[in-house]
């Protein structure tokens, strides 16, 4: 029996995200732990979104040189997520080590779309995206992306060949 | 500065999901707890995906009359998530009570796309989707949606006016 | 081979906590979900501590009549945990429904020790304790337990026959 | 107003656990992330118990040379937790890095009590304990600690000067 509406048409970004990471992409490694996995023995999907948030933190602090905790606690700039999505292509299991890497997909006035791809031994396991909006934490109003962050993001994107 | 590519074009399903729930939709209530919220005082987004999984469980067991635990533990049929997404429109805070409701968006041969909308006092706070694939847990192969589940899903969709 | 030191001697409180809940105890029900369980099919233990925090919230708001969110957000009084412990006596599995109930074990100047017992069909599955300290959130200094809370706790303890 | 019963008397093990880690202890570092912290800006306590489970995994695999995933998935030996406790002495905040280290407190026939101490810059922030029981995953019966694990644990304890 066919889908009633036909499958959704993936965006060009979604296609790019399912390709292996470019050489210049910031990467972190995450062991798949007992606690990440469910009774079927595979990672419970919200865990990946939690990992994504940690990957963005590490990318800011260690990849872009903009300390994430300082951004929030001292500069009082938040990056709440307004959209999150992920395609889960191949399940992962306890004892494996996932490499997660970051692409900049879009830089708007206030918003940033961040593609995150998870690989094991060069094979793409999952491909997601977070869209965040620069926000003043004191009144929760969106603000333009701070200029130091914007220029760093643009340089990162260029270095990844996007 | 404009977005470099322009915003993605939302699918018709995404538009529907951002509208208030139809009267016939299965709904559950979830208190927003201290533990759900982050240092900015709003719900940490992976918590919503975890709630979605619980909503699907409750919908199967209490809405569709197909016990979710039995499906997995006795019939050995899993419903791993192959795609998840959510638009987070308005943040929610500790002490609020979220109403989460379910729409059936798509019924394929093996896959089911489930729209989940979160409202507080009739205002849509978030609008998400999970796509699951019926899977034999013994070998992790996809299987056709079992016929009792398919007919129940179709009846539910009709009752919601989809 | 014997334990090198012998087992720890449980406190009288620990013994009491392992007995079924008294009739007057505040109770909530929690379904055991897919997401709570691990690859061995039983609840992953930190989930119980997360449940305990939610039980305390519900007990304050619905049992003691002191709204937990208001306490934190409006009165700016926090109850950080300084000690947590639990004996896990019998594992619980997806599809079961746990009844969690509250005993007041100790009321100090600033600290409150809360016994939490989890039962299924009258059989004790787990028996834990949280010790919290009343704290001014603006400077994180401990404060005397507010008098409305103290008198409510004492009345609750009396009603439970402690 | 005094405590009604007086404070509990900590065990000698609890005292030891609150002292800085011995030089030979296995240690891992964990960044305190945005996702670990609560609306009060400090780590939400169940997160520490989740970290403890990961520390035990890393200690087995990287410290004791007994691969934790293989133990569970191939040897079908589980280590369910029968008791967990922790004293939270000093709160930790986003941007800090916690060092967690392991002591063997007790080796029984089937059970192992593992002390876990968390430090930042030599100051003890938290001191916990997990007691696990070696279990055959096929029938959930407790089994004697496997001899390779027992001898490794005893060597570890000796190396830590316990």
């Amino acid at each position: 029996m066919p889908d009633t509406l036909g499958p959704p048409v993936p965006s060009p970004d979604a296609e790019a995200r399912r390709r292996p990471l470019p050489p210049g992409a910031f990467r972190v490694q995450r062991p798949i732990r007992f606690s990440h996995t469910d009774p079927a023995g595979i990672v419970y999907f919200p865990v990946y979104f939690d990992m994504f948030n940690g990957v963005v933190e590490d990318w800011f602090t260690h990849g872009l040189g903009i300390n994430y905790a300082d951004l929030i606690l001292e500069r009082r700039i938040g990056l709440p997520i307004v959209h999150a999505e992920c395609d889960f292509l191949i399940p992962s299991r306890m004892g494996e080590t996932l490499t997660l890497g970051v692409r900049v997909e879009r830089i708007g006035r206030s918003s940033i779309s961040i593609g995150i791809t998870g690989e094991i031994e060069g094979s793409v396991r999952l491909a997601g995206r977070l869209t965040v909006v620069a926000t003043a934490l004191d009144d929760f109003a969106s603000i333009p992306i701070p200029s130091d962050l914007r220029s760093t993001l643009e340089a990162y994107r260029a270095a990844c060949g996007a």
Side-chain angles (χ1 to χ4, degrees), chain A residues 54-67:
Chain A
V55 168
V56 170
E57 272 181 53
D58 287 351
W59 174 51
F60 268 62
T61 300
H62 303 297
L64 301 181
I66 294 176
N67 187 284

Side-chain angles (χ1 to χ4, degrees), chain A residues 10-161:
Chain A
S11 69
D13 283 344
E15 292 296 334
R17 221 178 290 141
R18 286 163 169 254
R19 288 198 295 267
L21 292 161
F26 178 82
R27 288 165 166 84
V28 294
Q29 299 217 314
R30 293 287 186 265
I32 304 297
R33 299 191 177 283
F34 183 80
S35 62
H36 298 152
T37 61
D38 65 24
I42 66 174
V43 175
Y44 177 54
F45 80 98
V47 170
Y48 288 123
F49 287 108
D50 180 50
M51 284 184 182
F52 288 0
N53 211 67
V55 168
V56 170
E57 272 181 53
D58 287 351
W59 174 51
F60 268 62
T61 300
H62 303 297
L64 301 181
I66 294 176
N67 187 284
Y68 189 85
D70 289 349
L71 191 71
I72 291 176
L73 298 177
E74 306 198 355
R75 297 172 65 178
R76 305 287 301 150
I77 296 171
L79 295 169
I81 280 85
V82 295
H83 177 81
E85 65 177 86
C86 193
D87 293 311
F88 305 101
L89 308 172
I90 302 173
S92 295
R93 292 167 191 281
M94 175 174 36
E96 294 187 309
T97 298
L98 193 63
T99 299
L100 291 156
V102 176
R103 290 176 173 96
V104 173
E105 295 190 353
R106 233 173 263 275
I107 306 172
R109 195 192 73 92
S110 296
S111 72
I112 312 162
S113 287
I114 303 164
I116 300 176
T117 299
E119 299 176 348
I120 295 182
E121 293 173 5
S123 164
V124 174
R125 295 285 178 101
L126 67 149
R129 181 169 55 136
L130 300 183
T131 302
V132 302
V133 172
T135 299
L137 285 177
D138 295 324
D139 63 2
F140 258 78
S142 69
I143 57 173
I145 298 168
S147 60
D148 62 326
L149 178 53
R150 177 180 297 279
S151 59
T152 306
L153 290 169
E154 287 172 349
Y156 178 85
R157 186 161 58 171
C160 286

